[in-house]
Amino acid sequence: MTNILSRMEAVQSPIIPIVGELIRNTPGTISLGQGVVSYPPPPEAIELLPKFLSEESNNLYKQVIGIPPLIAAIQAKLQSFNGIEIKDDNCVVVTAGSNMGFVNAVLTITSPGDEIILNAPYYFNHEMATIMAGCHPVIIETDENYQLRVDAIEKAITPKTRAIVTISPNNPTGVVYPEASLRAVNELCRERGIYHISDEAYDYFTYNGVKHVSPASFPGSSKHTISLFSLSKAYGFASWRIGYMVIPSDLLVSIQKVQDTILICPPVISQYAALGALQSSPKYIQENISKLAKVRSAVLDSLQKLEGICTIAPADGAFYFFLKVHTSMDTFTLVERLIKEYQVAALPGTTFGMNQGCYLRVAYGALQQETAKAGIERLVTGLKNIL
């Protein structure tokens, strides 16, 4: 049969499985690749599972947008931590991870041929989802510290633009956008009648006294702001696949159509676990992020040894550093050599849209202090010797 090309031909292949295969073929490799945390969900998440099992009807489908107790717990978290109040003009939708929330949003607000503005380096799944929807990602370069260039974003808006995407704290760079920049983007979206899609999967992960800001907390932002959140990172929930969206209420009917088609409802057992997680003590997150901050400090100290070989921009959020490597070497070739010769893995910047120059994303969320020291030392040694 003759191969029939589809829109998927234009979509990049996910890089994490490719790097994962290289790691499996090189036993003993320390991964600085995938963005996960080392710690498990809080005990309260597991303790709520018997309640799920005790209710016979839980083997049936539940509400498309999530079970009411979980939605209530999410609303309380949004109010207390993010400053987002749920009223008549906005609402919460539980999703199978925040990636699904992004797909829901793009399919809801666009038609084929429309444009979505992404800031490079971008999160690769956002670019992939935009193309899958038959839309065009419009890529805007950030500045030398990976901060937003609002003037360039404004100039990129066309009659086909449907949304501007921001990620703060940022994946892959770890930067946190200041309130002034997020306000400027949000106001720009209001003025131009487009949406601000704010990815806040790392909202708890900030350091050095830096505070996270949610654009949906700005006065008058509810009708044009779509916010995406995840339990995967802060609650060690990666495989449980629970995230949530805050959306303008007038998008709810359309988003329900998308979610019912793809998912029907988020996994109910995972929703019960998520409810338990959100009811856990604040100490759970505080203590785990405090430990991660120590790992971050150790990683940053070691990376300073790469002065002259790499440029490391300030990064006060998430659990990433994004290295600009001063070399003309092909990025993926460098990644392969680091794995095969030095047993350490990082992700190539090309998958995040950085095709000019050589960049590496270094993830430290999954590491303990001892592993972090060994992994970063391998990276430093490898880069010094290879370059």
Side-chain angles (χ1 to χ4, degrees):
M1 178 180 175
T2 304
N3 288 334
I4 300 174
L5 299 179
S6 78
R7 71 185 72 191
M8 300 307 295
E9 295 293 322
V11 178
Q12 66 165 304
S13 296
I15 192 63
I16 289 175
I18 295 172
V19 173
E21 184 64 21
L22 287 170
I23 292 171
R24 283 189 292 275
N25 292 335
T26 312
T29 296
I30 295 176
S31 178
L32 307 176
Q34 194 161 22
V36 293
V37 295
S38 62
Y39 54 87
E44 291 87 344
I46 309 305
E47 289 166 3
L48 213 58
L49 297 183
K51 184 176 181 182
F52 164 82
L53 296 170
S54 69
E55 296 184 18
E56 293 182 3
S57 67
N58 278 339
N59 64 307
L60 304 175
Y61 297 128
K62 297 298 179 180
Q63 294 92 330
V64 172
I65 64 170
I67 60 175
L70 178 56
I71 290 178
I74 289 169
Q75 289 176 342
K77 177 265 179 182
L78 289 167
Q79 176 78 56
S80 63
F81 185 80
N82 302 93
I84 299 173
E85 190 171 358
I86 303 301
K87 296 183 176 179
D88 291 339
D89 58 357
N90 63 355
C91 59
V92 171
V93 176
V94 181
T95 59
S98 62
N99 271 5
M100 182 172 189
F102 187 82
V103 173
N104 284 353
V106 171
L107 290 176
T108 293
I109 66 175
T110 68
S111 297
D114 285 343
E115 297 171 350
I116 302 288
I117 293 177
L118 305 178
N119 294 282
Y122 50 70
Y123 174 44
F124 52 84
N125 282 141
H126 287 173
E127 186 250 8
M128 294 165 68
T130 300
I131 294 172
M132 286 181 193
C135 297
H136 302 295
V138 175
I139 311 303
I140 305 301
E141 292 184 6
T142 49
D143 69 15
E144 65 275 9
N145 288 319
Y146 309 121
Q147 291 289 340
L148 298 173
R149 295 167 56 234
V150 179
D151 56 341
I153 293 172
E154 183 174 12
K155 290 176 183 176
I157 296 173
T158 75
K160 289 188 176 183
T161 304
R162 294 295 171 263
I164 299 168
V165 179
T166 61
I167 310 170
S168 182
N170 188 263
N171 178 9
T173 66
V175 306
V176 179
Y177 298 147
E179 181 175 340
S181 296
L182 292 171
R183 282 187 179 274
V185 170
N186 197 263
E187 179 62 17
L188 188 57
C189 290
R190 186 192 65 78
E191 291 173 353
R192 298 301 184 91
I194 60 180
Y195 291 97
H196 182 180
I197 301 178
S198 174
D199 186 326
E200 302 175 42
Y202 300 87
D203 57 348
Y204 284 106
F205 295 88
T206 57
Y207 315 97
N208 300 325
V210 173
K211 300 296 183 183
H212 172 70
V213 177
S214 293
S217 68
F218 302 153
S221 65
S222 296
K223 293 184 178 180
H224 62 273
T225 305
I226 299 171
S227 307
L228 309 177
F229 299 92
S230 173
L231 272 72
S232 293
K233 314 303 180 183
Y235 287 98
F237 240 65
S239 71
W240 290 87
R241 307 313 305 136
I242 293 291
Y244 51 98
M245 316 171 67
V246 178
I247 62 170
S249 294
D250 59 9
L251 297 181
L252 179 59
V253 171
S254 295
I255 280 180
Q256 283 182 304
K257 291 178 184 178
V258 178
Q259 184 139 305
D260 184 66
T261 300
I262 297 174
L263 186 67
I264 299 183
C265 67
V268 179
I269 189 170
S270 294
Q271 291 190 69
Y272 270 74
L275 176 59
L278 290 174
Q279 293 173 340
S280 65
S281 168
K283 288 184 179 179
Y284 167 81
I285 287 179
Q286 292 166 1
E287 290 176 356
N288 280 305
I289 293 184
S290 178
K291 292 176 184 176
L292 188 59
K294 293 178 181 177
V295 172
R296 175 185 178 275
S297 180
V299 168
L300 188 56
D301 285 346
S302 293
L303 289 177
Q304 302 307 319
K305 300 172 186 176
L306 292 172
E307 185 177 357
I309 297 175
C310 297
T311 298
I312 306 163
D316 291 317
F319 35 76
Y320 306 111
F321 290 109
F322 201 66
L323 312 186
K324 180 178 182 180
V325 187
H326 304 157
T327 180
S328 59
M329 180 182 294
D330 173 75
T331 310
F332 193 75
T333 299
L334 178 58
V335 169
E336 283 187 300
R337 289 193 61 183
L338 285 169
I339 294 172
K340 292 178 179 179
E341 298 173 24
Y342 294 92
Q343 293 182 300
V344 62
L347 291 190
T350 47
T351 198
F352 303 100
M354 303 298 280
N355 297 309
Q356 303 300 318
C358 183
Y359 296 83
L360 297 174
R361 189 190 78 172
V362 174
Y364 55 87
L367 304 178
Q368 304 292 339
Q369 271 191 279
E370 314 77 49
T371 319
K373 180 176 174 59
I376 296 299
E377 284 181 355
R378 291 182 190 183
L379 179 70
V380 170
T381 300
L383 288 173
K384 284 182 174 180
N385 290 344
I386 292 172
L387 304 178

